[in-house]
Amino acid sequence: MKKYNHFFDFLISHAKIYGFIFPSSEIYGGLNAIYDYGPYGVELKNNIKEFWWKSMTQLHENIVGLDSSILMHSDVWYASGHVDKFNELLIDNKDSKKRYRPEILIQEYVEKNFLDDPKKKEKTLSRLSQSLKKKDFLDIRVLIDELCICDPVFKTKNWTEIRHFNMMFEIKNEKNLFLRPETAQGIFSNFYNVIKSNRMKIPFGIAQIGKSFRNEIFARKFLFRMREFEQMEMQFFILPEEEIKWYEYWKNSRLKWHLELNLGDKKSYRLSDHDHLAHYASAGSDIEFHFPFGFKEIEGIHSRRDFDLKSHEFFSKKKLRVFELKKNYIPYVIETSLGLDRFFLAIFSSSLKKEKLENGTIRVVLKLPYYLSPVKAAIFPLVKKDGLPEIAKKIFNDIKICHRLIYDEKKSIGKLYRRQDAIGTPFCFTIDYDTIKTHTVTMRNRDSMKQKRIHVKEISKIIEKETGLKKILKKLSYSI
Ligand code: GAP
């Protein structure tokens, strides 16, 4: 069902050509919905992680970090409800032998075919929503027939009944051992260790970045829905009576964090309350971003109350509660869960631009926030002779200790600028004949393409000031 718009195809190709994202095991034909991060992709991803990590842990003195294992005791997944309830609906087409999620088939059909009839669209989506709520799968099946929805590839309506499908990957030959479908359970199972070792007091949070795995039937849209992906999650443990206060706090605080990134404009984001709650949640809200294929979730904020700790207490027979303020209780949990790859895609897609220049040519530029750019600055000699490369290399070697730089002399200056634009490098510094006489270089800005001369001594300071995380962290800083 691959049907991308023109820009999205261009984005996927740009990400590959410039070493951001490669299809996994491509030499063997690739693997559905699994991707690798190339040399610039991994730098950008690491910068995103650092930004999130510092925002969570460094800026909140009551949030600490964790890095728990991917494989966990099998009882974890019984206690968490994932073995019984982490299911998706599934429908097969008997002719194409392809699997689909019925609700997505209907949503996509409606988006495409009821464009001019908003009432019909709303009525159909509301019926779908009601049936999902009531778990009336028969009605969803009837809806597919009524709408005459065909298999997107084979164009036939030869559908099976709708059934459930567990999304966890089970490890072969290891009974009941699963690849984790969320990082959160590593946080819950270490709750007591963290309290004890770090003397944490309610309210406090535990943040973690790590891989998760889901056997997505409908994995697609590039990095949007993958089978192996990373999550940046934070569980915030609170007094039960403060649930609403902290739920609202984290919804607003996370939205503010996204808005400070300034991807697109304010209209690129919206908060949307969940219609269908995950089995562990008592309230849920998504931060949605306007991707090239429409508004979709990037981050979920959930109130999980005491669902997980209570269940782990029951299964493990270990006390997972606190004794504070003369009370002995299981804290409630507010969770913030941001998909790293999905967030990468949001940043990449909103930064990639094709600009028409005054001379009529098109330049492709990745206008990433400077502090996320994979490479902070490039150093070029104007020509490959007369000692200019030696001066440029000396400057490069002095500054590379502090910042991720590129030295390049392989092409003409114009072409070198274009390449740096395409990977999002904020500044280029060119060493020319005047450098020998005046110790100045030309500094060129990625976004404005304006050039000015600055002293060699200023290069490092400018990179630090303009491309470091300090400015944005200061804006986000919360006082004790
Ligand atoms: N611990 C809660 C949890 O996992 P979720 O809404 O299922 O909640 C949280 O997932 C975030 O993880 C989503 O908002 C999304 O950004 C990311 N995510 C979930 N499934 C994904 C997938 N198959 N591919 C990429 N990212 C995914």
Side-chain angles (χ1 to χ4, degrees), residues 316-372:
S316 68
K317 315 268 184 290
K318 300 274 178 341
K319 289 266 170 277
L320 296 177
R321 50 187 64 218
V322 290
F323 186 73
E324 270 177 24
L325 306 169
K326 297 189 181 155
K327 264 172 62 178
N328 181 341
Y329 65 99
I330 300 183
Y332 274 19
V333 172
I334 306 297
E335 160 184 80
T336 70
S337 178
L338 174 59
L340 176 53
D341 314 83
R342 208 174 269 192
F343 187 42
F344 182 110
L345 180 60
I347 292 168
F348 199 83
S349 60
S350 56
S351 302
L352 186 60
K353 312 270 179 218
K354 276 185 188 177
E355 284 182 355
K356 193 159 187 192
L357 302 180
E358 273 171 17
N359 63 8
T361 58
I362 302 285
R363 87 161 173 150
V364 175
V365 53
L366 195 59
K367 289 189 165 173
L368 294 166
Y370 292 173
Y371 50 89
L372 296 181

Side-chain angles (χ1 to χ4, degrees), residues 182 214 216 224 226 231 233 280 297-298 335 337 339:
E182 60 168 1
R214 295 183 189 177
E216 299 277 3
F224 184 78
M226 299 155 84
Q231 290 182 307
E233 298 201 295
Y280 48 73
E297 168 190 355
I298 43 172
E335 160 184 80
S337 178

Side-chain angles (χ1 to χ4, degrees), residues 82 86 167 181-185 188 212-214 216 219 222-233 235 274 278 280 286-287 297-302 304 335-343:
H82 283 84
F86 195 54
M167 291 176 67
E182 60 168 1
T183 67
Q185 295 306 323
F188 292 126
S212 292
F213 302 81
R214 295 183 189 177
E216 299 277 3
F222 197 35
L223 307 182
F224 184 78
R225 198 178 298 286
M226 299 155 84
R227 293 190 297 152
E228 172 181 338
F229 57 98
E230 266 182 278
Q231 290 182 307
M232 305 193 285
E233 298 201 295
Q235 313 293 320
H274 282 191
Y280 48 73
D286 289 337
I287 294 176
E297 168 190 355
I298 43 172
E299 173 158 2
I301 293 100
H302 311 118
R304 296 177 78 131
E335 160 184 80
T336 70
S337 178
L338 174 59
L340 176 53
D341 314 83
R342 208 174 269 192
F343 187 42

